[in-house]
Amino acid sequence: MDIKFVTVILPLMLPELLTYSVPESLKNGLKPGMRVEVGVRNKLYSAIVYETLETLDLPYKTKPIISVIDHNPIITEKQLQFWMWIARYYCCTPGEVMKVALPSGLKLESETKVLLNGDPSEIDTFNLSDEEYLIVEAITVQHQLTISQIQDILNKKSIYPIIRGLIDQGIIAIMEELKEKYKPKSITFLTLNEPYRSNPEKLTEVFDKIAKSEKQTRLLLAFVQLSKNKTFSIPASDIYTLSGGNSSIARAMAKKDIFTIEKKTISRIKSDVADGGPTIPPLSPMQITALEEIKGHFQADKPVLIHGITGSGKTRVYTELINETMQSGKQTLYLLPEIALTTHMVERLKNELGQDILVYHSRLSNHERVEIWNAILLGAKVVIGARSSLFLPFTNLGLIIVDEEHDPSYKQFDPNPRYNARDAAIYLANRNHAKIILGSATPSMESYVNATTEKYGLVEMTERHGTSVLPEMQIVDLREAYKDQSFKGIFSPTLLSAIEEALAQKEQVILFQNRRGYAPILECQLCGWTAECINCDVKLTKHKAFNELRCHYCGSRSKLPEMCPACGNTHLSEAGMGTEKIEESLAAIFPEARIARMDYDTAKTKTALESIMVDFELRKIDILVGTQMITKGLDFDNISLVGVLNADSLLKYPDLRSNERAFQLLTQVAGRAGRRQKQGKVIIQTFSPGHPIIVETTQSLYGRFFKRESGERHMFRYPPYYRMIQLEFLHKNAEVVAKASAEFARLTKKQLGERVLGPAVPSVARIRGYYINTITVKMEKNNLLTAKIKDLLLSTSDTIKKIEPFKNVRINIDVDPY
């Protein structure tokens, strides 16, 4: 094929792919999925080749590509097709998909560089300021400098006026150069030379040779000690640590031909296979039946929904299928909603499969992500990860498992693409002819409807695995507790008694409150002032540990006020309770107990999160207080009590899915209790003990919940029986955003009529300084109709942007918003 043109995907929000010509010298070996260097508006970008073409009729002259960056494609053609489907389905651009899909270590950035414009000897430095002279001198020595280097030299951030002045004088010029972000990790090794390596007895000659140097002798002894397992190439840092030596000593020994010093590229991916090989427990009769049913549905080429109660042994079924997939030489993608679960799951799979398991999520370093990307390209068999793992370049994908498929964490809300990983995984599996399993104790309405209408295969696992039994469920009516004044705001006497009993038995407790911080509201009882965010229409949350007020929407922070800024009252009161306050109260009531907290504040980093999980598993924590992070997949055998402190907060959220989310959260957190031989206990504190969700949760009535919720969804034309698209309009002027959304609604209602609802002001009307209006489009489930409506929304969005007052209004299109 004589390649003359390529269409490329750029990390820019461009509605169409750009086309470039290919110089004769760059044609050989050019394939889709490779990176090429291209220019756009005087900047350089790395772009992904989407298509190579022999001929093309364009109304404009194409620019040539500048260089080919890769020797082989870094993205498979199936992945490219997946990117394009994501862009079409979720109403965004391929460039926005590229930004999310590709690890930043594989993206090249245009880094501005400054160099002298001519011969340094001809530059007149007499009239230069001190700062200008420093820059010129530095460039003369180093030939070129980046903007950040100049900022360091001058020790100031604002340097553009100085740069501009030097450019205007013709002294310096700007050069754009692509910067590779990813660098392989390399380590210095000391390798023992021959003949000592093959004949260890000759080492006595070496010791004689270096006998006068105590430091060299210690270094050689350290090497010998570390090479007991017949490894004669050892990381220099390990030898230096053991011997107290350094690189200068090693270089002296290299001159004596004892060692060779060399740098080797190594993987950043941890590879700790369990000792003693795999230990797979036998399948129970229920698990054997479930596997047979799954394979029957696989033969019919259907996705499979496993509806298995908490503790029913779904993970053991998954490991059996992963093992079979590996034996067939294919790859497995195991999706989890939270990275909090990955450590626990990786250890379990390593123990049961005896294989290297790769982990991919947002808290890995850029370098680690690149290395996992490359490992998948080379055929690595099993990867566990969060939703972004869908974009990895699988070459032979055989199985996808979406665990806890109901979880809202699978949905990306911002930025584009606003995709749902569960739904995208269905398409990815189909595209790769792979099998897919969705698993949950509380399936989403969408998945369960698909299963009951036989679009998906349905496998039910209704019993807990082994000898474990479902926990005892107990409801505490807070209305009664308040009446007899036995309730003091957080813990009912029933819950306190149960905690005390569990601690006496050396058992562990989990307490769930889906609100972090100390107190959600800080207010003045005299004048009515409340602490509110200056950027968002929300109350600020008190964080006592940091002595701050924080906004959980925009992240802004301010010091706790000593008095009311409105009236000067020094006695400000707190309303509500967060996990921090609960932790403090527990410490006062149970001073001997070891208490920890798992929420966004305490588990921001991968290390902090893993530390809490490990401590809890090793029983170094007696009581764990947490937000919804603790509801997802924790499987420890010593949890005898789970307490839900305020179930009502889950039931009053203004959201079409509030009932569904509340049922799922309560059921999932209850499932953490008593997962081994002893029956656990779950205590739910509520002011609404008769609420349908509370009753259905405590009696494990998923069927009743599904039937009742289905009736309401049908009645109000909501998903999963109708499709939804939500449009969000944002602008810093409330009047502008209101007029723009009203005009959008007027234009679309001409063609869509009552399918268009709004515009409306959401419950939080301003976030990060932007006022928000929303429009909701509800439509029948018809693929052709949906595609036409998406096209209409995109074209109307372009029309609105061309109207002068509305050109800066941001319009976000969210397909399947919940």
Side-chain angles (χ1 to χ4, degrees), residues 3 44 49 62-63 86 162 195-196 213 221 237 258 311 347 358 366 386 391 433 439 447 482 528 533 555 585 628:
I3 301 170
L44 299 180
V49 176
T62 59
K63 293 180 181 179
I86 290 275
I162 305 167
Y196 317 115
S213 172
L221 283 169
S237 58
I258 300 169
E347 291 307 312
L358 302 183
N366 288 330
F391 296 108
H433 306 292
S447 296
Y482 267 109
C533 179
S585 301
Q628 62 181 354

Side-chain angles (χ1 to χ4, degrees), residues 8 36 60 139 193 263 284 352 372 479-480 760 764 787 815:
V8 300
V36 292
Y60 60 89
I139 298 174
N193 291 337
K263 283 196 171 184
S284 70
E352 296 189 1
I372 290 172
R479 297 171 302 179
E480 298 299 321
V764 180
V815 178

Side-chain angles (χ1 to χ4, degrees), residues 237 329 390 431 516 602 679:
S237 58
L390 281 173
R431 185 84 197 170
R516 63 187 172 99
T602 62
Q679 184 182 29

Side-chain angles (χ1 to χ4, degrees), residues 53-282:
L53 303 163
E54 292 188 41
T55 59
L56 195 63
D57 184 20
L58 289 171
Y60 60 89
K61 185 179 180 180
T62 59
K63 293 180 181 179
I65 63 172
I66 299 167
S67 67
V68 178
I69 297 169
D70 302 305
H71 297 297
N72 296 297
I74 63 165
I75 296 167
T76 68
E77 291 198 41
K78 286 180 180 176
Q79 283 300 104
L80 285 174
Q81 296 302 322
F82 181 56
W83 287 14
M84 300 305 286
W85 177 82
I86 290 275
R88 285 194 307 273
Y89 187 87
Y90 290 102
C91 295
C92 62
T93 64
E96 289 172 303
V97 180
M98 177 183 173
K99 278 186 173 181
V100 169
L102 204 62
S104 59
L106 289 176
K107 298 170 194 168
L108 301 179
E109 63 182 12
S110 185
E111 181 175 79
T112 302
K113 291 201 173 184
V114 177
L115 67 165
L116 294 180
N117 186 23
D119 190 334
S121 63
E122 296 179 2
I123 296 174
D124 181 8
T125 59
F126 184 79
N127 293 319
L128 296 181
S129 68
D130 290 344
E131 290 177 326
E132 288 174 333
Y133 181 81
L134 273 174
I135 293 172
V136 172
E137 280 290 291
I139 298 174
T140 302
V141 173
Q142 299 187 38
H143 305 297
Q144 60 185 30
L145 292 174
T146 65
I147 293 294
S148 59
Q149 286 172 327
I150 295 173
Q151 287 172 328
D152 291 340
I153 290 168
L154 299 181
N155 195 28
K156 61 191 297 188
K157 286 187 177 181
S158 179
I159 63 167
Y160 286 102
I162 305 167
I163 298 293
R164 181 78 261 168
L166 288 170
I167 291 172
D168 291 343
Q169 294 175 62
I171 295 173
I172 64 172
I174 295 295
M175 178 180 74
E176 288 294 321
E177 180 173 288
L178 284 175
K179 176 186 173 185
E180 177 75 68
K181 288 183 180 178
Y182 170 67
K183 291 182 180 178
K185 184 177 182 180
S186 61
I187 288 183
T188 300
F189 281 79
L190 297 187
T191 304
L192 188 64
N193 291 337
E194 293 288 4
Y196 317 115
R197 189 165 65 237
S198 56
N199 190 355
E201 292 178 2
K202 287 187 174 287
L203 273 176
T204 55
E205 299 176 10
V206 179
F207 280 109
D208 290 340
K209 189 187 296 187
I210 61 174
K212 293 181 179 179
S213 172
E214 183 183 345
K215 292 179 180 179
Q216 291 183 20
T217 301
R218 282 206 307 266
L219 191 144
L220 184 57
L221 283 169
F223 183 92
V224 171
Q225 185 175 341
L226 292 170
S227 64
K228 284 181 178 178
N229 60 353
K230 306 300 181 183
T231 301
F232 296 106
S233 188
I234 296 173
S237 58
D238 294 350
I239 299 171
Y240 300 156
T241 301
L242 186 60
S243 68
N246 54 42
S247 58
S248 63
I249 301 170
R251 285 195 299 271
M253 297 177 76
K255 287 180 180 179
K256 295 176 181 177
D257 205 27
I258 300 169
F259 290 125
T260 297
I261 303 172
E262 58 182 335
K263 283 196 171 184
K264 295 182 180 179
T265 300
I266 66 163
S267 173
R268 291 181 174 86
I269 306 168
K270 291 182 180 178
S271 177
D272 302 319
V273 180
D275 294 332
T279 54
I280 304 181

Side-chain angles (χ1 to χ4, degrees), residues 5-9 17-20 48-53:
F5 301 94
V6 288
T7 56
V8 300
I9 303 174
L17 302 184
L18 293 186
T19 302
Y20 288 82
I48 299 291
V49 176
Y50 176 71
E51 190 177 17
T52 57
L53 303 163

Side-chain angles (χ1 to χ4, degrees), residues 12-46:
L12 302 171
M13 208 170 78
L14 303 172
E16 301 290 339
L17 302 184
L18 293 186
T19 302
Y20 288 82
S21 60
V22 182
E24 194 69 33
S25 60
L26 300 177
K27 289 181 179 180
N28 288 340
L30 189 58
K31 297 176 183 177
M34 294 171 70
R35 289 176 298 173
V36 292
E37 184 179 356
V38 298
V40 181
R41 290 185 178 179
N42 299 319
K43 285 188 175 291
L44 299 180
Y45 292 91
S46 63

